[in-house]
Amino acid sequence: MSDSGRGTEYFWCTRHHRVETEADVCPARYVLGPYRSRSDAENALQTVQERNQVWDEEDRRWAGEER
């Protein structure tokens, strides 16, 4: 457990295509996270894709471009 009492945080490294922890994390420009679990970090790119799709649809609605 970390000093903050939160537990281990996990990151997805876009440079090395792997999960990293705060003990060995790459610079911020290469990582997504933090995530609460290894599994969440492993699925980071899927999460980003899903969120981007939702936001793109919201942008289209705001612009009046209903599908």
Side-chain angles (χ1 to χ4, degrees):
M1 186 171 259
S2 69
D3 293 340
S4 67
R6 293 183 298 165
T8 302
E9 292 181 324
Y10 300 90
F11 303 82
W12 179 256
C13 179
T14 60
R15 184 176 177 190
H16 298 109
H17 307 282
R18 67 178 183 204
V19 173
E20 298 177 345
T21 65
E22 64 266 5
D24 68 349
V25 69
C26 283
R29 69 176 178 245
Y30 297 118
V31 298
L32 301 172
Y35 296 95
R36 290 183 173 199
S37 71
R38 177 173 289 279
S39 176
D40 287 346
E42 288 172 344
N43 294 310
L45 294 178
Q46 178 66 30
T47 301
V48 167
Q49 182 180 16
E50 290 168 1
R51 288 178 181 167
N52 284 344
Q53 288 174 344
V54 169
W55 293 336
D56 287 347
E57 290 171 12
E58 289 176 3
D59 287 347
R60 281 192 289 278
R61 282 194 298 276
W62 272 95
E65 300 172 12
E66 296 286 333
R67 279 182 162 197

